[in-house]
Amino acid sequence: MAELTEKQMKECLYAQQGELDAVLMYNELAKVVKDPKDAETFKRLAAEEGRHASVFHELTGTVLQPKKLKSVAVPMLYKCVGRKILYPVIAKEEYKAAKKYEPVVKEFPQVESVMKDETRHGDTVMALLDK
């Protein structure tokens, strides 16, 4: 495996942190959403984000702790603005993550599945609004 440059290390640590934060966020969101199908979806996404964090952990070799800001803010936003406003925002963040991972995939192919999952996560969250 190639050694991470300083820039790549910074990008991978940022990604790892984001994935860890997403685990907490999705788990907390699952506790407050009204629709049981949404809750199940968010629990599944949380588990997948955990796998993503482990992919980046393998690259960085660094143990990080999730930050709680999103796990507090996003459920509050759900209660304030509802799913029709919040879910597109969440989806947009998933799509942004996928885009950020594109350059990393060239050097580290194991990130490709993470990148594809992020796009699918965005699609999954948006599909919750179609029912």
Side-chain angles (χ1 to χ4, degrees):
M1 178 172 77
E3 181 104 6
L4 290 166
T5 65
E6 190 176 326
K7 182 177 185 244
Q8 288 169 329
M9 178 61 99
K10 188 176 177 182
E11 289 170 350
C12 287
L13 284 169
Y14 181 82
Q16 183 181 345
Q17 185 68 60
E19 299 295 339
L20 284 171
D21 296 350
V23 172
L24 252 141
M25 178 197 76
Y26 280 130
N27 278 325
E28 290 304 311
L29 192 54
K31 293 176 186 176
V32 300
V33 294
K34 293 180 178 126
D35 188 312
K37 184 180 177 199
D38 291 11
E40 274 309 304
T41 298
F42 290 136
K43 287 177 191 172
R44 189 180 80 246
L45 293 180
E48 291 177 10
E49 298 291 6
R51 186 188 67 77
H52 298 166
S54 69
V55 168
F56 287 106
H57 175 259
E58 286 177 26
L59 290 170
T60 66
T62 305
V63 175
L64 300 174
Q65 296 301 314
K67 295 178 182 168
K68 295 181 180 175
L69 179 63
K70 282 185 184 177
S71 70
V72 172
V74 173
M76 280 194 328
L77 279 170
Y78 174 85
K79 291 175 183 177
C80 294
V81 301
R83 62 200 301 274
K84 284 188 180 357
I85 293 174
L86 181 62
Y87 290 9
V89 173
I90 293 171
K92 184 178 176 186
E93 289 302 308
E94 293 287 0
Y95 296 136
K96 255 181 19 185
K99 198 87 176 132
K100 276 193 137 188
Y101 297 161
E102 278 180 17
V104 180
V105 169
K106 291 179 182 97
E107 199 68 36
F108 305 98
Q110 61 270 49
V111 176
E112 185 170 9
S113 69
V114 175
M115 181 182 75
K116 288 179 177 177
D117 281 353
E118 297 299 354
T119 299
R120 184 176 47 76
H121 289 180
D123 294 345
T124 299
V125 173
M126 288 305 293
L128 292 174
L129 293 174
D130 292 339
K131 48 184 175 123

